[in-house]
Amino acid sequence: VFPSQDPLDRADFNAVEYINTLFPTEQSLANIDEVVNKIRLKIRRLDDNIRTVVRGQTNVGQDGRQALEEAQKAIQQLFGKIKDIKDKAEKSEQMVKEITRDIKQLDHAKRHLTTSITTLNHLHMLAGGVDSLEAMTRRRQYGEVANLLQGVVNVLEHFNKYMGIPQIRQLSERVKAAQNELGQQILADFEEAFPSQGTKRPGGPSNVLRDACLVANVLDPRIKQEIIKKFIKQHLSEYLVLFQENQDVAWLDKIDRRYAWIKRQLVDYEEKYGRMFPQEWCMTERIAVEFCHVTRTELAKIMRTRAKEIEVKLLLFAIQRTTNFEGLLAKRFSGCTLADGTVKKPEVPPPSTNPFLEDETGTETDEIVIEKNDTDRPKKPKVPDNPFHGIVSKCFEPHLYVYIESQDKNLGELIDRFVADFKAQGPPKPNVDEGGAVLPSCADLFVYYKKCMVQCSQLSTGEPMIALTTIFQKYLREYAWKILSGNLPKTTSSSGGLTITSLLKEKEGSEVAKFTLEELCLICSILSTAEYCLATTQQLEEKLKEKVDASLMERINLTGEMDTFSIVISNSIQLLVQDLDAACDPALTAMSKMQWQNVEHVGDQSPYVTSVILHIKQNVPIIRDNLASTRKYFTQFCIKFANSFIPKFINHLFKCKPISMVGAEQLLLDTHSLKMVLLDLPSIGSQVVRKAPASYTKIVVKGMTRAEMILKVVMAPHEPPVVFVDNYIKLLADCSTDTFQKILDMKGLKRSEQSSMLDLFRQRLPAPPSGVENTSSLSLSAPTPEQESSRIRKLEKLIKKRL
């Protein structure tokens, strides 16, 4: 356990080695007795040490037991002391109880005596109060009754637990009887003062009735409600007679008279009866609210009866006057009584929360309706809701279809006017400053949309807003098709038509008709207008969702209309691409018809390359200048042209057969020239040189490098065949046998040589490194020109059959 230098303590102790160590020679055996004695002495010491340790352990056990016994004795002593203390505490408590027993009795007696005196006082007050209450009720002394009744009711609450006593129960019944009698008496007094069928009203308020109202506050709330109901009904009875359904003043054109009448009545009430009713009854507001409920019902009834007579101007006039009156009520009253009625507070925002109100008073020359800056401006703090908004004007909502139909008609006329103006004024002039500008009719349309949206949101933010949104969608689509798509140039521009026409022209060897400068400017202008409409329609959708009720927000979706404008943009770009593409077709046809095996020396670029570059320099600067405001769509045009032109160029390369070595070098030079022109396409003819977008550059480099690789393979000697095939696979990374066949045709090899080459090509294909690459590159690049070629051949056969 402990470290030791003694060899006896080692783990690998060997007795023989140890003895040999003690007696290394025979001579050393002479002192064997001395060594044996030393070992015996050591053994005796070890035995003594072991004995001492064992005895020591025995004593430790005894000491532990002794300590445990001592601890147990101490615990017993402590327990005894605790028990002694507890006994003393109980004795002390008993002693205290005996001392305070008399004090507790006195305390209970005092509390009971106090309660008895208080109860007797309350009983005396209750008995006297009931007698006085009955006497004052008979004498109609309502002023004194109001205070007394409240006190009697409060005192009676103290006797709720004593209702089992007959005398107390009798007093409670007398109080209830007095309350019922008071209620009936007060109602009778009000009926007498304000008879339902009476023809005259008292000249001024009555003090008796004023005190009676104070009493009604203490009585059952139904008494108060009955008084209010009867008074308001009697007060508005004249209104129902004056504005009956068969009266002239009841119609919408004289709606002002209704509101003038209630204003006079409220002033008259304030003067005559303002002090008769308690202020917390809010009688003026209650009269106005009941007038609104009655008016809404009456207007809804008369509009249902005479629905055919409602015109837009009349309806808008009535709504405007009504909303003005509701605004006046909001300024005058708090709306605290609306919770008592059946009409809930409308959840629609008031007209004042309209974010476009600041624009309403401005001129109508704004070209942008929903400005981009609107999204950056901090929103104005929301004005508190008008609690009276819609309390009368809700009755007009079922008839807002008249307004919606009117807007439908107006927008239809507006679109027709746009079409007529475009025909009369013609396409925009091809000026540098004006070309590609947004058509003015677009701004006019959205200005009108803005006015309609603001106006409708003031009338209603419910279903009518959804109906108006549907109208907006209808005319956005009409604008897209009639004004934008309908005015795109039709010359060889329908989908597929350009390709077929160019094929036919190719056969005849004549020039393909190109768009004029005016037509190019018109296409760019329509593209810019569609882009503006797309962005503004998205903002229009957001504004409509802000205006409409939250529950209807999901029903507003202008995605379809935005897609329509995206289609117009795509068609415009496709027209521009097809025009430039078709202009280059004759040059590519000329390239494929040249005798490339007869070219004797390499010179400058060929005439067909000059022709392609000329067409590009004619069209691209015009398109770029006209699309300066929508740069991303110019980039799309460049990408689409590259994706269309390069596969077509490669397809025509395959038609150039056979090709001599010098002819392939000339074609390679021409291909490089076209590659440089295409790389410079976005900024060609521009004074400001911009770096072409990386996405465009990648497409051009990939496509034209493939064309260069095809020509390099053609230039390579076909002997030995293995080297030629490996070189083809390395340069083109194309496993298509069709492409390889076309390369062999371009080299002008005989059929027998081609057959052996194709067999070798198929044998070399399974190589693992190139196999994976070939498969991927085949799916990405190789099929494009072949598929294009097969489609063109099918179209050509179809045209021949039709003709």
PDB file of all heavy atoms in Angstrom, residues 242-272:
ATOM      1  N   LEU A 242     -95.049  64.272 -39.513  1.00  0.00           N
ATOM      2  CA  LEU A 242     -94.569  65.209 -40.547  1.00  0.00           C
ATOM      3  C   LEU A 242     -93.871  64.474 -41.697  1.00  0.00           C
ATOM      4  O   LEU A 242     -93.985  64.874 -42.863  1.00  0.00           O
ATOM      5  CB  LEU A 242     -93.596  66.214 -39.925  1.00  0.00           C
ATOM      6  CG  LEU A 242     -94.218  67.261 -38.994  1.00  0.00           C
ATOM      7  CD1 LEU A 242     -93.125  68.116 -38.368  1.00  0.00           C
ATOM      8  CD2 LEU A 242     -95.193  68.158 -39.756  1.00  0.00           C
ATOM      9  N   PHE A 243     -93.121  63.412 -41.358  1.00  0.00           N
ATOM     10  CA  PHE A 243     -92.301  62.745 -42.378  1.00  0.00           C
ATOM     11  C   PHE A 243     -92.828  61.348 -42.671  1.00  0.00           C
ATOM     12  O   PHE A 243     -92.056  60.390 -42.776  1.00  0.00           O
ATOM     13  CB  PHE A 243     -90.839  62.686 -41.915  1.00  0.00           C
ATOM     14  CG  PHE A 243     -90.192  64.037 -41.818  1.00  0.00           C
ATOM     15  CD1 PHE A 243     -90.219  64.741 -40.625  1.00  0.00           C
ATOM     16  CD2 PHE A 243     -89.583  64.620 -42.916  1.00  0.00           C
ATOM     17  CE1 PHE A 243     -89.633  65.992 -40.528  1.00  0.00           C
ATOM     18  CE2 PHE A 243     -88.995  65.872 -42.811  1.00  0.00           C
ATOM     19  CZ  PHE A 243     -89.016  66.566 -41.631  1.00  0.00           C
ATOM     20  N   GLN A 244     -94.153  61.241 -42.788  1.00  0.00           N
ATOM     21  CA  GLN A 244     -94.737  59.970 -43.184  1.00  0.00           C
ATOM     22  C   GLN A 244     -94.275  59.584 -44.590  1.00  0.00           C
ATOM     23  O   GLN A 244     -93.865  60.431 -45.379  1.00  0.00           O
ATOM     24  CB  GLN A 244     -96.277  60.057 -43.150  1.00  0.00           C
ATOM     25  CG  GLN A 244     -96.858  59.922 -41.754  1.00  0.00           C
ATOM     26  CD  GLN A 244     -98.371  59.907 -41.779  1.00  0.00           C
ATOM     27  OE1 GLN A 244     -98.961  59.906 -42.845  1.00  0.00           O
ATOM     28  NE2 GLN A 244     -98.982  59.910 -40.607  1.00  0.00           N
ATOM     29  N   GLU A 245     -94.377  58.309 -44.892  1.00  0.00           N
ATOM     30  CA  GLU A 245     -93.876  57.798 -46.162  1.00  0.00           C
ATOM     31  C   GLU A 245     -94.534  58.471 -47.362  1.00  0.00           C
ATOM     32  O   GLU A 245     -93.902  58.640 -48.409  1.00  0.00           O
ATOM     33  CB  GLU A 245     -94.108  56.278 -46.207  1.00  0.00           C
ATOM     34  CG  GLU A 245     -93.419  55.586 -47.356  1.00  0.00           C
ATOM     35  CD  GLU A 245     -93.573  54.078 -47.294  1.00  0.00           C
ATOM     36  OE1 GLU A 245     -93.966  53.565 -46.234  1.00  0.00           O
ATOM     37  OE2 GLU A 245     -93.311  53.433 -48.320  1.00  0.00           O
ATOM     38  N   ASN A 246     -95.788  58.893 -47.216  1.00  0.00           N
ATOM     39  CA  ASN A 246     -96.507  59.493 -48.354  1.00  0.00           C
ATOM     40  C   ASN A 246     -96.302  61.000 -48.470  1.00  0.00           C
ATOM     41  O   ASN A 246     -96.878  61.640 -49.346  1.00  0.00           O
ATOM     42  CB  ASN A 246     -98.011  59.183 -48.249  1.00  0.00           C
ATOM     43  CG  ASN A 246     -98.587  59.657 -46.911  1.00  0.00           C
ATOM     44  OD1 ASN A 246     -97.861  60.224 -46.093  1.00  0.00           O
ATOM     45  ND2 ASN A 246     -99.881  59.421 -46.694  1.00  0.00           N
ATOM     46  N   GLN A 247     -95.491  61.583 -47.594  1.00  0.00           N
ATOM     47  CA  GLN A 247     -95.257  63.028 -47.651  1.00  0.00           C
ATOM     48  C   GLN A 247     -94.078  63.333 -48.588  1.00  0.00           C
ATOM     49  O   GLN A 247     -93.142  62.549 -48.712  1.00  0.00           O
ATOM     50  CB  GLN A 247     -94.937  63.564 -46.246  1.00  0.00           C
ATOM     51  CG  GLN A 247     -96.049  63.374 -45.228  1.00  0.00           C
ATOM     52  CD  GLN A 247     -97.280  64.196 -45.558  1.00  0.00           C
ATOM     53  OE1 GLN A 247     -97.186  65.304 -46.098  1.00  0.00           O
ATOM     54  NE2 GLN A 247     -98.463  63.655 -45.250  1.00  0.00           N
ATOM     55  N   ASP A 248     -94.134  64.512 -49.226  1.00  0.00           N
ATOM     56  CA  ASP A 248     -93.052  64.912 -50.138  1.00  0.00           C
ATOM     57  C   ASP A 248     -91.725  65.082 -49.400  1.00  0.00           C
ATOM     58  O   ASP A 248     -90.656  64.777 -49.929  1.00  0.00           O
ATOM     59  CB  ASP A 248     -93.423  66.219 -50.859  1.00  0.00           C
ATOM     60  CG  ASP A 248     -94.545  66.012 -51.857  1.00  0.00           C
ATOM     61  OD1 ASP A 248     -94.753  64.839 -52.256  1.00  0.00           O
ATOM     62  OD2 ASP A 248     -95.214  66.993 -52.229  1.00  0.00           O
ATOM     63  N   VAL A 249     -91.800  65.611 -48.184  1.00  0.00           N
ATOM     64  CA  VAL A 249     -90.563  65.896 -47.440  1.00  0.00           C
ATOM     65  C   VAL A 249     -89.873  64.616 -46.967  1.00  0.00           C
ATOM     66  O   VAL A 249     -88.754  64.671 -46.452  1.00  0.00           O
ATOM     67  CB  VAL A 249     -90.858  66.798 -46.221  1.00  0.00           C
ATOM     68  CG1 VAL A 249     -91.259  68.180 -46.655  1.00  0.00           C
ATOM     69  CG2 VAL A 249     -91.917  66.165 -45.324  1.00  0.00           C
ATOM     70  N   ALA A 250     -90.553  63.480 -47.120  1.00  0.00           N
ATOM     71  CA  ALA A 250     -89.961  62.230 -46.640  1.00  0.00           C
ATOM     72  C   ALA A 250     -88.910  61.678 -47.592  1.00  0.00           C
ATOM     73  O   ALA A 250     -88.119  60.815 -47.215  1.00  0.00           O
ATOM     74  CB  ALA A 250     -91.062  61.179 -46.431  1.00  0.00           C
ATOM     75  N   TRP A 251     -88.886  62.131 -48.865  1.00  0.00           N
ATOM     76  CA  TRP A 251     -87.973  61.571 -49.858  1.00  0.00           C
ATOM     77  C   TRP A 251     -86.551  62.102 -49.657  1.00  0.00           C
ATOM     78  O   TRP A 251     -86.307  63.057 -48.932  1.00  0.00           O
ATOM     79  CB  TRP A 251     -88.498  61.872 -51.263  1.00  0.00           C
ATOM     80  CG  TRP A 251     -87.770  61.149 -52.373  1.00  0.00           C
ATOM     81  CD1 TRP A 251     -87.297  61.704 -53.509  1.00  0.00           C
ATOM     82  CD2 TRP A 251     -87.421  59.768 -52.436  1.00  0.00           C
ATOM     83  NE1 TRP A 251     -86.695  60.756 -54.289  1.00  0.00           N
ATOM     84  CE2 TRP A 251     -86.744  59.537 -53.644  1.00  0.00           C
ATOM     85  CE3 TRP A 251     -87.609  58.691 -51.571  1.00  0.00           C
ATOM     86  CZ2 TRP A 251     -86.265  58.303 -54.020  1.00  0.00           C
ATOM     87  CZ3 TRP A 251     -87.127  57.449 -51.952  1.00  0.00           C
ATOM     88  CH2 TRP A 251     -86.465  57.259 -53.171  1.00  0.00           C
ATOM     89  N   LEU A 252     -85.600  61.443 -50.321  1.00  0.00           N
ATOM     90  CA  LEU A 252     -84.171  61.716 -50.085  1.00  0.00           C
ATOM     91  C   LEU A 252     -83.774  63.134 -50.449  1.00  0.00           C
ATOM     92  O   LEU A 252     -82.849  63.695 -49.846  1.00  0.00           O
ATOM     93  CB  LEU A 252     -83.318  60.714 -50.882  1.00  0.00           C
ATOM     94  CG  LEU A 252     -83.509  59.235 -50.543  1.00  0.00           C
ATOM     95  CD1 LEU A 252     -82.597  58.381 -51.399  1.00  0.00           C
ATOM     96  CD2 LEU A 252     -83.242  58.963 -49.071  1.00  0.00           C
ATOM     97  N   ASP A 253     -84.438  63.718 -51.447  1.00  0.00           N
ATOM     98  CA  ASP A 253     -84.003  65.047 -51.884  1.00  0.00           C
ATOM     99  C   ASP A 253     -84.258  66.113 -50.820  1.00  0.00           C
ATOM    100  O   ASP A 253     -83.703  67.211 -50.879  1.00  0.00           O
ATOM    101  CB  ASP A 253     -84.698  65.433 -53.196  1.00  0.00           C
ATOM    102  CG  ASP A 253     -86.218  65.409 -53.063  1.00  0.00           C
ATOM    103  OD1 ASP A 253     -86.709  64.827 -52.069  1.00  0.00           O
ATOM    104  OD2 ASP A 253     -86.901  65.936 -53.962  1.00  0.00           O
ATOM    105  N   LYS A 254     -85.125  65.814 -49.835  1.00  0.00           N
ATOM    106  CA  LYS A 254     -85.414  66.770 -48.757  1.00  0.00           C
ATOM    107  C   LYS A 254     -84.959  66.211 -47.412  1.00  0.00           C
ATOM    108  O   LYS A 254     -85.549  66.499 -46.369  1.00  0.00           O
ATOM    109  CB  LYS A 254     -86.916  67.089 -48.727  1.00  0.00           C
ATOM    110  CG  LYS A 254     -87.409  67.784 -49.991  1.00  0.00           C
ATOM    111  CD  LYS A 254     -88.873  68.113 -49.896  1.00  0.00           C
ATOM    112  CE  LYS A 254     -89.350  68.859 -51.143  1.00  0.00           C
ATOM    113  NZ  LYS A 254     -89.195  68.074 -52.377  1.00  0.00           N
ATOM    114  N   ILE A 255     -83.898  65.413 -47.457  1.00  0.00           N
ATOM    115  CA  ILE A 255     -83.419  64.782 -46.214  1.00  0.00           C
ATOM    116  C   ILE A 255     -82.880  65.810 -45.237  1.00  0.00           C
ATOM    117  O   ILE A 255     -82.869  65.597 -44.022  1.00  0.00           O
ATOM    118  CB  ILE A 255     -82.339  63.719 -46.550  1.00  0.00           C
ATOM    119  CG1 ILE A 255     -82.184  62.746 -45.375  1.00  0.00           C
ATOM    120  CG2 ILE A 255     -81.009  64.353 -46.926  1.00  0.00           C
ATOM    121  CD1 ILE A 255     -81.368  61.522 -45.702  1.00  0.00           C
ATOM    122  N   ASP A 256     -82.451  66.969 -45.767  1.00  0.00           N
ATOM    123  CA  ASP A 256     -81.958  68.037 -44.881  1.00  0.00           C
ATOM    124  C   ASP A 256     -83.013  68.458 -43.876  1.00  0.00           C
ATOM    125  O   ASP A 256     -82.697  68.844 -42.743  1.00  0.00           O
ATOM    126  CB  ASP A 256     -81.534  69.249 -45.720  1.00  0.00           C
ATOM    127  CG  ASP A 256     -80.125  69.070 -46.250  1.00  0.00           C
ATOM    128  OD1 ASP A 256     -79.402  68.235 -45.690  1.00  0.00           O
ATOM    129  OD2 ASP A 256     -79.761  69.750 -47.227  1.00  0.00           O
ATOM    130  N   ARG A 257     -84.305  68.417 -44.287  1.00  0.00           N
ATOM    131  CA  ARG A 257     -85.374  68.890 -43.410  1.00  0.00           C
ATOM    132  C   ARG A 257     -85.514  67.998 -42.170  1.00  0.00           C
ATOM    133  O   ARG A 257     -85.894  68.476 -41.095  1.00  0.00           O
ATOM    134  CB  ARG A 257     -86.701  68.929 -44.177  1.00  0.00           C
ATOM    135  CG  ARG A 257     -86.681  69.922 -45.334  1.00  0.00           C
ATOM    136  CD  ARG A 257     -88.060  70.134 -45.880  1.00  0.00           C
ATOM    137  NE  ARG A 257     -88.043  71.035 -47.042  1.00  0.00           N
ATOM    138  CZ  ARG A 257     -89.133  71.435 -47.682  1.00  0.00           C
ATOM    139  NH1 ARG A 257     -90.329  70.997 -47.298  1.00  0.00           N
ATOM    140  NH2 ARG A 257     -89.045  72.251 -48.713  1.00  0.00           N
ATOM    141  N   ARG A 258     -85.232  66.715 -42.340  1.00  0.00           N
ATOM    142  CA  ARG A 258     -85.273  65.813 -41.179  1.00  0.00           C
ATOM    143  C   ARG A 258     -84.265  66.258 -40.116  1.00  0.00           C
ATOM    144  O   ARG A 258     -84.583  66.359 -38.925  1.00  0.00           O
ATOM    145  CB  ARG A 258     -84.951  64.384 -41.613  1.00  0.00           C
ATOM    146  CG  ARG A 258     -85.981  63.728 -42.518  1.00  0.00           C
ATOM    147  CD  ARG A 258     -85.514  62.355 -42.934  1.00  0.00           C
ATOM    148  NE  ARG A 258     -86.465  61.685 -43.824  1.00  0.00           N
ATOM    149  CZ  ARG A 258     -87.425  60.861 -43.414  1.00  0.00           C
ATOM    150  NH1 ARG A 258     -87.555  60.600 -42.129  1.00  0.00           N
ATOM    151  NH2 ARG A 258     -88.243  60.278 -44.283  1.00  0.00           N
ATOM    152  N   TYR A 259     -83.051  66.518 -40.576  1.00  0.00           N
ATOM    153  CA  TYR A 259     -81.995  66.876 -39.628  1.00  0.00           C
ATOM    154  C   TYR A 259     -82.202  68.281 -39.069  1.00  0.00           C
ATOM    155  O   TYR A 259     -81.859  68.543 -37.905  1.00  0.00           O
ATOM    156  CB  TYR A 259     -80.641  66.733 -40.307  1.00  0.00           C
ATOM    157  CG  TYR A 259     -80.423  65.355 -40.880  1.00  0.00           C
ATOM    158  CD1 TYR A 259     -79.949  65.151 -42.173  1.00  0.00           C
ATOM    159  CD2 TYR A 259     -80.717  64.222 -40.126  1.00  0.00           C
ATOM    160  CE1 TYR A 259     -79.772  63.871 -42.688  1.00  0.00           C
ATOM    161  CE2 TYR A 259     -80.544  62.941 -40.637  1.00  0.00           C
ATOM    162  CZ  TYR A 259     -80.084  62.775 -41.912  1.00  0.00           C
ATOM    163  OH  TYR A 259     -79.933  61.511 -42.415  1.00  0.00           O
ATOM    164  N   ALA A 260     -82.769  69.174 -39.853  1.00  0.00           N
ATOM    165  CA  ALA A 260     -83.091  70.513 -39.350  1.00  0.00           C
ATOM    166  C   ALA A 260     -84.168  70.414 -38.263  1.00  0.00           C
ATOM    167  O   ALA A 260     -84.121  71.131 -37.249  1.00  0.00           O
ATOM    168  CB  ALA A 260     -83.551  71.407 -40.496  1.00  0.00           C
ATOM    169  N   TRP A 261     -85.146  69.511 -38.471  1.00  0.00           N
ATOM    170  CA  TRP A 261     -86.233  69.362 -37.500  1.00  0.00           C
ATOM    171  C   TRP A 261     -85.694  68.892 -36.156  1.00  0.00           C
ATOM    172  O   TRP A 261     -86.030  69.435 -35.098  1.00  0.00           O
ATOM    173  CB  TRP A 261     -87.264  68.359 -38.031  1.00  0.00           C
ATOM    174  CG  TRP A 261     -88.447  68.187 -37.111  1.00  0.00           C
ATOM    175  CD1 TRP A 261     -89.601  68.911 -37.103  1.00  0.00           C
ATOM    176  CD2 TRP A 261     -88.557  67.236 -36.039  1.00  0.00           C
ATOM    177  NE1 TRP A 261     -90.432  68.463 -36.104  1.00  0.00           N
ATOM    178  CE2 TRP A 261     -89.819  67.433 -35.429  1.00  0.00           C
ATOM    179  CE3 TRP A 261     -87.739  66.235 -35.557  1.00  0.00           C
ATOM    180  CZ2 TRP A 261     -90.263  66.678 -34.351  1.00  0.00           C
ATOM    181  CZ3 TRP A 261     -88.172  65.481 -34.468  1.00  0.00           C
ATOM    182  CH2 TRP A 261     -89.420  65.697 -33.886  1.00  0.00           C
ATOM    183  N   ILE A 262     -84.818  67.868 -36.163  1.00  0.00           N
ATOM    184  CA  ILE A 262     -84.312  67.340 -34.891  1.00  0.00           C
ATOM    185  C   ILE A 262     -83.417  68.369 -34.199  1.00  0.00           C
ATOM    186  O   ILE A 262     -83.387  68.454 -32.961  1.00  0.00           O
ATOM    187  CB  ILE A 262     -83.566  65.999 -35.084  1.00  0.00           C
ATOM    188  CG1 ILE A 262     -83.253  65.344 -33.736  1.00  0.00           C
ATOM    189  CG2 ILE A 262     -82.297  66.174 -35.877  1.00  0.00           C
ATOM    190  CD1 ILE A 262     -84.455  65.025 -32.896  1.00  0.00           C
ATOM    191  N   LYS A 263     -82.697  69.165 -34.968  1.00  0.00           N
ATOM    192  CA  LYS A 263     -81.874  70.218 -34.339  1.00  0.00           C
ATOM    193  C   LYS A 263     -82.760  71.199 -33.585  1.00  0.00           C
ATOM    194  O   LYS A 263     -82.459  71.598 -32.457  1.00  0.00           O
ATOM    195  CB  LYS A 263     -81.046  70.940 -35.411  1.00  0.00           C
ATOM    196  CG  LYS A 263     -79.921  70.100 -36.006  1.00  0.00           C
ATOM    197  CD  LYS A 263     -79.242  70.855 -37.136  1.00  0.00           C
ATOM    198  CE  LYS A 263     -78.243  69.963 -37.876  1.00  0.00           C
ATOM    199  NZ  LYS A 263     -77.658  70.638 -39.047  1.00  0.00           N
ATOM    200  N   ARG A 264     -83.878  71.597 -34.215  1.00  0.00           N
ATOM    201  CA  ARG A 264     -84.812  72.524 -33.532  1.00  0.00           C
ATOM    202  C   ARG A 264     -85.407  71.876 -32.287  1.00  0.00           C
ATOM    203  O   ARG A 264     -85.538  72.503 -31.236  1.00  0.00           O
ATOM    204  CB  ARG A 264     -85.930  72.939 -34.489  1.00  0.00           C
ATOM    205  CG  ARG A 264     -85.482  73.835 -35.626  1.00  0.00           C
ATOM    206  CD  ARG A 264     -86.678  74.482 -36.316  1.00  0.00           C
ATOM    207  NE  ARG A 264     -87.639  73.492 -36.804  1.00  0.00           N
ATOM    208  CZ  ARG A 264     -87.586  72.951 -38.017  1.00  0.00           C
ATOM    209  NH1 ARG A 264     -86.606  73.299 -38.859  1.00  0.00           N
ATOM    210  NH2 ARG A 264     -88.490  72.071 -38.397  1.00  0.00           N
ATOM    211  N   GLN A 265     -85.762  70.591 -32.403  1.00  0.00           N
ATOM    212  CA  GLN A 265     -86.360  69.899 -31.266  1.00  0.00           C
ATOM    213  C   GLN A 265     -85.379  69.783 -30.100  1.00  0.00           C
ATOM    214  O   GLN A 265     -85.770  69.930 -28.931  1.00  0.00           O
ATOM    215  CB  GLN A 265     -86.824  68.502 -31.699  1.00  0.00           C
ATOM    216  CG  GLN A 265     -88.015  68.497 -32.632  1.00  0.00           C
ATOM    217  CD  GLN A 265     -89.232  69.125 -31.989  1.00  0.00           C
ATOM    218  OE1 GLN A 265     -89.572  68.819 -30.850  1.00  0.00           O
ATOM    219  NE2 GLN A 265     -89.889  70.025 -32.700  1.00  0.00           N
ATOM    220  N   LEU A 266     -84.122  69.535 -30.392  1.00  0.00           N
ATOM    221  CA  LEU A 266     -83.131  69.418 -29.327  1.00  0.00           C
ATOM    222  C   LEU A 266     -82.923  70.758 -28.625  1.00  0.00           C
ATOM    223  O   LEU A 266     -82.783  70.813 -27.392  1.00  0.00           O
ATOM    224  CB  LEU A 266     -81.804  68.889 -29.875  1.00  0.00           C
ATOM    225  CG  LEU A 266     -81.820  67.432 -30.375  1.00  0.00           C
ATOM    226  CD1 LEU A 266     -80.463  67.058 -30.947  1.00  0.00           C
ATOM    227  CD2 LEU A 266     -82.197  66.473 -29.255  1.00  0.00           C
ATOM    228  N   VAL A 267     -82.915  71.827 -29.408  1.00  0.00           N
ATOM    229  CA  VAL A 267     -82.795  73.168 -28.804  1.00  0.00           C
ATOM    230  C   VAL A 267     -84.015  73.461 -27.931  1.00  0.00           C
ATOM    231  O   VAL A 267     -83.909  73.960 -26.805  1.00  0.00           O
ATOM    232  CB  VAL A 267     -82.631  74.234 -29.912  1.00  0.00           C
ATOM    233  CG1 VAL A 267     -82.720  75.634 -29.309  1.00  0.00           C
ATOM    234  CG2 VAL A 267     -81.302  74.046 -30.628  1.00  0.00           C
ATOM    235  N   ASP A 268     -85.222  73.103 -28.440  1.00  0.00           N
ATOM    236  CA  ASP A 268     -86.457  73.321 -27.690  1.00  0.00           C
ATOM    237  C   ASP A 268     -86.455  72.508 -26.401  1.00  0.00           C
ATOM    238  O   ASP A 268     -86.868  72.987 -25.343  1.00  0.00           O
ATOM    239  CB  ASP A 268     -87.640  72.916 -28.580  1.00  0.00           C
ATOM    240  CG  ASP A 268     -88.972  73.113 -27.875  1.00  0.00           C
ATOM    241  OD1 ASP A 268     -89.285  74.268 -27.543  1.00  0.00           O
ATOM    242  OD2 ASP A 268     -89.678  72.110 -27.654  1.00  0.00           O
ATOM    243  N   TYR A 269     -85.968  71.266 -26.479  1.00  0.00           N
ATOM    244  CA  TYR A 269     -85.910  70.432 -25.279  1.00  0.00           C
ATOM    245  C   TYR A 269     -84.981  71.041 -24.239  1.00  0.00           C
ATOM    246  O   TYR A 269     -85.306  71.096 -23.043  1.00  0.00           O
ATOM    247  CB  TYR A 269     -85.434  69.023 -25.645  1.00  0.00           C
ATOM    248  CG  TYR A 269     -85.015  68.226 -24.437  1.00  0.00           C
ATOM    249  CD1 TYR A 269     -85.969  67.595 -23.650  1.00  0.00           C
ATOM    250  CD2 TYR A 269     -83.675  68.139 -24.061  1.00  0.00           C
ATOM    251  CE1 TYR A 269     -85.602  66.891 -22.508  1.00  0.00           C
ATOM    252  CE2 TYR A 269     -83.299  67.440 -22.936  1.00  0.00           C
ATOM    253  CZ  TYR A 269     -84.268  66.818 -22.162  1.00  0.00           C
ATOM    254  OH  TYR A 269     -83.895  66.136 -21.022  1.00  0.00           O
ATOM    255  N   GLU A 270     -83.809  71.491 -24.671  1.00  0.00           N
ATOM    256  CA  GLU A 270     -82.841  72.067 -23.736  1.00  0.00           C
ATOM    257  C   GLU A 270     -83.441  73.267 -23.004  1.00  0.00           C
ATOM    258  O   GLU A 270     -83.218  73.465 -21.807  1.00  0.00           O
ATOM    259  CB  GLU A 270     -81.560  72.482 -24.482  1.00  0.00           C
ATOM    260  CG  GLU A 270     -80.729  71.316 -25.021  1.00  0.00           C
ATOM    261  CD  GLU A 270     -79.980  70.596 -23.919  1.00  0.00           C
ATOM    262  OE1 GLU A 270     -80.016  71.061 -22.763  1.00  0.00           O
ATOM    263  OE2 GLU A 270     -79.375  69.547 -24.209  1.00  0.00           O
ATOM    264  N   GLU A 271     -84.201  74.065 -23.736  1.00  0.00           N
ATOM    265  CA  GLU A 271     -84.773  75.264 -23.130  1.00  0.00           C
ATOM    266  C   GLU A 271     -85.889  74.919 -22.137  1.00  0.00           C
ATOM    267  O   GLU A 271     -85.983  75.506 -21.055  1.00  0.00           O
ATOM    268  CB  GLU A 271     -85.320  76.189 -24.222  1.00  0.00           C
ATOM    269  CG  GLU A 271     -84.230  76.821 -25.090  1.00  0.00           C
ATOM    270  CD  GLU A 271     -84.811  77.657 -26.217  1.00  0.00           C
ATOM    271  OE1 GLU A 271     -86.055  77.654 -26.358  1.00  0.00           O
ATOM    272  OE2 GLU A 271     -84.031  78.290 -26.946  1.00  0.00           O
ATOM    273  N   LYS A 272     -86.765  73.969 -22.507  1.00  0.00           N
ATOM    274  CA  LYS A 272     -87.944  73.697 -21.693  1.00  0.00           C
ATOM    275  C   LYS A 272     -87.716  72.626 -20.633  1.00  0.00           C
ATOM    276  O   LYS A 272     -88.161  72.758 -19.492  1.00  0.00           O
ATOM    277  CB  LYS A 272     -89.107  73.268 -22.603  1.00  0.00           C
ATOM    278  CG  LYS A 272     -89.632  74.390 -23.485  1.00  0.00           C
ATOM    279  CD  LYS A 272     -90.833  73.899 -24.271  1.00  0.00           C
ATOM    280  CE  LYS A 272     -91.405  75.019 -25.155  1.00  0.00           C
ATOM    281  NZ  LYS A 272     -92.583  74.550 -25.933  1.00  0.00           N
TER     282      LYS A 272
END
